[in-house]
Amino acid sequence: MTRARKEELVAEMAAEFKDAGAIIVCDYKGMTVEKLEVVRNLAKDEDTKVKVINNKLARIALKNAGCEDIEFTETNLVIWGDAQVTPCKIADKAATDFKDTFSIKTGLIQGEVASMETINAMAKLPTRDVLLGMLLNVWNAPVQNFTIGLSALAAKKEEEA
């Protein structure tokens, strides 16, 4: 890879890392190409990006994006996206499905280093769409109960008449 291409790649990654809600660094040593494709497809379905990145280029990109510095060693697969929960969920699912060859090393949430407990907790949270659906159900419940009550009242009045 030429120096110009490396600089271009670092600039692209820095721009994407700057806007990322979460960046998860994973170890994928020993994974087959088919298993890596499964992880990439999981990410693609959720508008999240997955990339095997050179360690030095990744550190430079994170530094340029204004994120905290993390240690990159050996093989690294980076998962990132705009949402905070989605990259954590994808990494957690891959770590569960491919226990022997895939593990979460570390991560950044809003540019700050997150503990493994935080990453695992974020993976268990419902997504934004699910939370919005739950909120709508809560808001809809009083109206629904009111209409059920009115319907029951109307049925009772018809029986009396």
Side-chain angles (χ1 to χ4, degrees), residues 42-159:
L42 278 171
K44 186 178 176 183
D45 293 342
E46 298 292 334
D47 276 346
T48 304
K49 295 186 174 121
V50 174
K51 193 168 196 146
V52 175
I53 301 175
N54 176 294
N55 294 343
K56 189 171 184 177
L57 296 180
R59 286 188 76 187
I60 293 169
L62 284 173
K63 182 180 175 188
N64 292 349
C67 298
E68 284 188 32
D69 190 34
I70 55 176
E71 188 65 33
F72 284 93
T73 57
E74 299 181 2
T75 58
N76 293 303
L77 178 81
V78 180
I79 303 171
W80 74 93
D82 295 334
Q84 293 177 6
V85 176
T86 310
C88 297
K89 281 185 173 296
I90 292 167
D92 185 60
K93 179 159 178 42
T96 303
D97 292 349
F98 310 115
K99 291 178 189 152
D100 300 334
T101 55
F102 192 93
S103 64
I104 300 172
K105 287 182 172 180
T106 188
L108 297 163
I109 296 178
Q110 293 295 319
E112 296 180 6
V113 176
S115 66
M116 287 303 294
E117 293 82 23
T118 304
I119 293 170
N120 290 331
M122 295 284 277
K124 305 296 183 245
L125 288 174
T127 62
R128 181 179 186 272
D129 292 338
V130 172
L131 286 173
L132 286 174
M134 292 166 69
L135 181 64
L136 287 175
N137 281 338
V138 168
W139 284 347
N140 194 27
V143 174
Q144 192 174 15
N145 291 338
F146 181 72
T147 56
I148 290 171
L150 282 178
S151 178
L153 182 64
K156 183 178 177 184
K157 292 290 183 180
E158 284 181 11
E159 286 177 12

